[in-house]
Amino acid sequence: ELMQLFCAEAQDLLQDIEQGVLVLETNPRDEATINTLFRAFHTFKGNVGVMNLVVLQQLTHELESLLDAARRGNFDLDKDSFDVILAGEDALKRYVEELSQLLGGTGETATIALPIPRLIATVRAMLAAGRKAAPASPAAPAQHPAASPAVASSPPAAAAPGAPMPGSALCGSDCM
């Protein structure tokens, strides 16, 4: 029952994240939207922490840190950061969808392969660079992560210890 509540709230948070990025693509300095995204990732991080989904907690923490740097004015959001936020949202969404299917008895997999290590590394590299975006110019809308080669090229991984899910399902080795 707790996992079902987690999935329901997660779907709402993921929708808020996706909508927030759409707003930021046209106005990357919209403070209210940055705060909304920050809170969504913060809440998601707390929820996965309670569920002891450590790998997902690490990802949400890194994305929360990126948005916190933007809130403080230490990092200007741009197309690259939107891409990684959407890729993170997509990974979290895939996990929640698979978990929902398993809880509903329709899931067939015990492994959920996600590109989490690459996403974490990308966010950390962005934050380490501490880059400020160039002066505002009309930007093309960010591409959804499904079209991103860094994310889409990740093949499913074999079962390995990772973010434990209830029952026998584990996050794939790509999550470690």
Side-chain angles (χ1 to χ4, degrees):
E1 186 176 316
L2 184 59
M3 290 303 285
Q4 290 172 336
L5 290 172
F6 163 76
C7 288
E9 183 171 3
Q11 290 170 348
D12 291 340
L13 293 169
L14 293 167
Q15 189 172 29
D16 290 346
I17 292 166
E18 192 167 333
Q19 292 301 313
V21 172
L22 291 174
V23 170
L24 290 177
E25 287 175 338
T26 58
N27 185 5
R29 292 191 173 107
D30 184 320
E31 288 181 35
T33 303
I34 293 170
N35 286 330
T36 298
L37 284 173
F38 173 84
R39 283 190 304 275
F41 278 112
H42 181 75
T43 302
F44 207 110
K45 179 182 77 171
N47 291 350
V48 295
V50 167
M51 306 307 292
N52 199 28
L53 302 171
V54 178
V55 175
L56 297 181
Q57 189 176 23
Q58 291 170 340
L59 174 62
T60 53
H61 174 74
E62 294 300 329
L63 292 166
E64 175 190 38
S65 295
L66 180 72
L67 291 160
D68 190 43
R71 288 180 350 152
R72 291 182 317 219
N74 298 333
F75 186 87
D76 287 335
L77 298 171
D78 62 5
K79 182 188 179 316
D80 292 338
S81 51
F82 299 144
D83 286 347
V84 77
I85 291 168
L86 285 174
E89 181 264 343
D90 188 54
L92 295 169
K93 180 188 265 182
R94 284 183 46 217
Y95 187 89
V96 170
E97 288 170 352
E98 292 280 337
L99 178 57
S100 293
Q101 289 176 359
L102 286 171
L103 292 172
T106 60
E108 297 179 17
T109 181
T111 301
I112 301 173
L114 302 170
I116 291 175
R118 281 180 285 190
L119 293 172
I120 290 172
T122 300
V123 173
R124 287 180 179 169
M126 288 177 166
L127 288 171
R131 67 188 160 94
K132 299 287 273 178
S137 63
Q143 198 174 24
H144 194 276
S148 172
V151 176
S153 65
S154 176
M165 284 187 10
S168 63
L170 297 174
C171 187
S173 62
D174 217 13
C175 294
M176 299 191 69

